Amino acid sequence: MGKVNKIIVPAIIGLVLALSQPPYNLGILVFAGLVLLFLALKIIKTGRRAFGLGYLTGLVYFLISFKWHWAVYPLESLGIENRYLGFFLVFFVWITTAGTLALVWGASASLWKKLDKKISWPALLIFPSIFTLLEYLRSYLIG
């Protein structure tokens, strides 16, 4: 993959997956997004690049999904009257939350790539299992 494709492909996959969630409710897109993610992971050769693909996909997905963070801006109701400080705080929380949660997607992609090379299980069973397990752990450990 070229340098541009390393960013555009995950961004498109993350966008497609995010559009399948409320408030957009284009649920059928989840299948297209997961197929695109799966195909991109099959093309990538190393676990490190798979992590990058999974992380960027998750980052775009969570940035779109967490746009509701901006509903609290401006923060005057919380006693922060400086609009620049309020913007920075909301932006920081938005980016930090999305970036942290995207680590799970990167870890899932990397782990799937490593297991796909070593085990001859069908990848259609490996990736969903790993992804579900890590999302399950994330929901209990992070919240």
Side-chain angles (χ1 to χ4, degrees):
M1 266 200 256
K3 288 183 180 183
V4 174
N5 289 339
K6 289 179 184 177
I7 296 172
I8 291 182
V9 170
I12 290 171
I13 296 170
L15 175 66
V16 168
L17 289 171
L19 289 176
S20 71
Q21 302 296 319
Y24 311 107
N25 293 327
L26 300 171
I28 194 73
L29 289 179
V30 74
F31 298 110
L34 290 176
V35 166
L36 289 173
L37 180 61
F38 180 71
L39 290 175
L41 285 171
K42 284 303 260 183
I43 293 170
I44 289 177
K45 304 290 184 208
T46 65
R48 179 181 239 173
R49 288 192 179 169
F51 179 86
L53 175 86
Y55 181 78
L56 288 176
T57 300
L59 184 65
V60 170
Y61 171 80
F62 285 118
L63 286 174
I64 294 170
S65 295
F66 291 154
K67 69 179 177 140
W68 55 265
H69 278 87
W70 291 100
V72 299
Y73 181 76
L75 298 177
E76 292 170 350
S77 62
L78 299 175
I80 301 174
E81 295 183 13
N82 185 334
R83 287 188 176 265
Y84 297 113
L85 178 60
F87 178 85
F88 172 76
L89 289 174
V90 172
F91 182 78
F92 178 76
V93 169
W94 181 55
I95 292 292
T96 304
T97 304
T100 303
L101 294 176
L103 289 172
V104 173
W105 288 41
S108 297
S110 179
L111 189 57
W112 175 81
K113 195 64 178 175
K114 289 178 183 178
L115 289 177
D116 187 42
K117 291 178 183 176
K118 295 179 181 178
I119 300 173
S120 62
W121 300 346
L124 290 173
L125 295 176
I126 296 172
F127 183 72
S129 301
I130 292 170
F131 188 80
T132 303
L133 176 66
L134 289 176
E135 282 291 313
Y136 182 76
L137 292 173
R138 178 190 62 84
S139 71
Y140 281 101
L141 298 177
I142 298 174

